[in-house]
């Protein structure tokens, strides 16, 4: 978890579980305006949301809170990635990516993948139930809501860090070198791991684009309102 304000990285914290991270974000929002970028998929492709009988993202989050762990254990299609659970055959009528992922130049992985390299599905299924708690705490959730005094939205760090070999500490250090937004005391910590690097750079990019973030408006497109959207600079609306 990283916090940035007025173009400077203020803190970088590791070791928090999901619940503790969300509690920390809620506490920060009590002290002033806040935009929180969370690195997990907020929803699934619209066709599966509809197959689950969910007419809204809120209904999906409630369903995931109830059944998500059972889905992970079974890893039944369209989920895949556990031993003996290969990727289902491609079906154009049942895409594995959301529109926001297909439109991204960095092409995030499918939230249906719950095992293997680069997996995002497990974290997404365990993150979605926390979104209802953020909304109950007064957060606007974009793209379903206009940005408010406290807003949470989905980010894909690769879209914010740009092209860098994140598995290489030397490459991470080179990307951060000379960045005056990073206090010397935090520069080494930001380069220490891929997660720290992602958090630090993402927070700084978000702080740089704060006016844009505060101007975000709710999506009207029905598919986007089921699937959600990844924020990246220049995403004024979807």
């Amino acid at each position: 978890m990283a916090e940035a304000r007025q173009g400077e990285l203020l803190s970088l914290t590791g070791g928090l579980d999901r619940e503790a991270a969300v509690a920390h974000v809620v506490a920060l929002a009590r002290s002033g305006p806040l935009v929180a970028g969370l690195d997990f998929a907020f929803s699934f492709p619209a066709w599966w949301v509809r197959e689950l009988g969910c007419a809204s993202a809120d209904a999906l989050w409630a369903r995931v809170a109830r059944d998500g762990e059972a889905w992970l254990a079974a890893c039944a299609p369209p989920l895949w990635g556990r031993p003996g659970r290969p990727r289902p055959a491609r079906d154009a009528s049942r895409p594995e990516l959301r529109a926001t992922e297909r439109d991204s130049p960095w092409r995030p992985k499918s939230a249906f993948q719950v095992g293997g390299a680069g997996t995002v599905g497990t974290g997404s299924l365990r993150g979605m139930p926390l979104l209802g708690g953020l909304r109950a705490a007064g957060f606007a959730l974009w793209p379903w809501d206009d940005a408010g005094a406290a807003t949470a939205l989905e980010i894909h760090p690769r879209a914010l860090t740009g092209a860098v070999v994140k598995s290489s500490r030397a490459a991470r250090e080179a990307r951060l070198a000379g960045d005056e937004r990073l206090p010397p005391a935090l520069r080494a910590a930001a380069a220490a791991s891929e997660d720290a690097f992602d958090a630090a750079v993402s927070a700084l990019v978000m702080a740089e684009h704060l006016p844009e973030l505060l101007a975000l408006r709710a999506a009207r497109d029905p598919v986007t309102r089921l699937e959600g959207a990844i924020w990246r600079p220049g995403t004024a609306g979807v």
Side-chain angles (χ1 to χ4, degrees):
M1 173 177 287
E3 182 184 355
R5 184 181 302 145
Q6 296 180 341
E8 182 178 2
L9 191 69
L10 299 183
S11 67
L12 190 60
T13 305
L16 300 177
D17 63 18
R18 293 178 183 85
E19 289 74 14
V22 168
H24 185 66
V25 166
V26 170
L28 284 175
R30 297 191 187 108
S31 62
L34 174 74
V35 182
L38 307 177
D39 179 19
F40 61 84
F42 282 15
S43 187
F44 288 101
W47 66 265
W48 199 50
V49 178
R50 295 189 187 105
E51 282 194 6
L52 292 171
C54 299
S56 68
D58 296 83
L60 172 68
W61 302 333
R63 179 70 185 274
V64 173
R66 188 187 77 194
D67 298 330
E69 289 301 322
W71 294 345
L72 285 172
C75 195
L79 303 183
W80 63 278
R82 296 284 176 86
R85 300 294 185 181
R87 181 190 218 151
R90 297 284 178 88
D91 181 345
S93 67
R94 298 160 66 89
E96 66 176 13
L97 296 176
R98 298 173 293 159
T100 189
E101 293 154 349
R102 297 194 299 271
D103 292 343
S104 170
W106 299 105
R107 191 57 68 91
K109 288 183 176 286
S110 171
F112 289 143
Q113 183 181 354
V114 299
T119 295
V120 298
T122 298
S124 298
L125 281 167
R126 290 177 172 160
M128 288 179 202
L130 303 176
L131 296 175
L134 281 172
R135 175 161 279 166
F139 274 70
L141 299 179
W142 186 81
W144 297 276
D145 308 314
D146 293 345
T151 304
L153 44 76
E154 179 184 343
I155 62 170
H156 179 215
R158 174 62 77 180
L160 305 181
T161 65
V164 56
V165 182
K166 292 194 294 185
S167 59
S168 164
R169 176 158 189 158
R172 297 194 301 268
E173 289 175 340
R175 170 67 172 77
L176 299 173
D179 192 333
E180 296 181 354
R181 301 173 300 175
L182 277 162
L186 292 177
R187 185 172 285 111
S193 70
E194 292 184 51
D195 287 341
F197 176 84
D198 280 348
V201 177
S202 296
L204 287 169
V205 172
M206 290 180 67
E208 180 182 349
H209 292 86
L210 185 59
E212 177 184 329
L213 288 162
L214 296 176
L216 289 172
R217 294 295 174 260
R220 296 183 180 182
D221 172 63
V223 172
T224 303
R225 292 192 64 81
L226 279 183
E227 293 189 339
I230 300 168
W231 177 82
R232 61 182 184 271
T235 309
V238 291

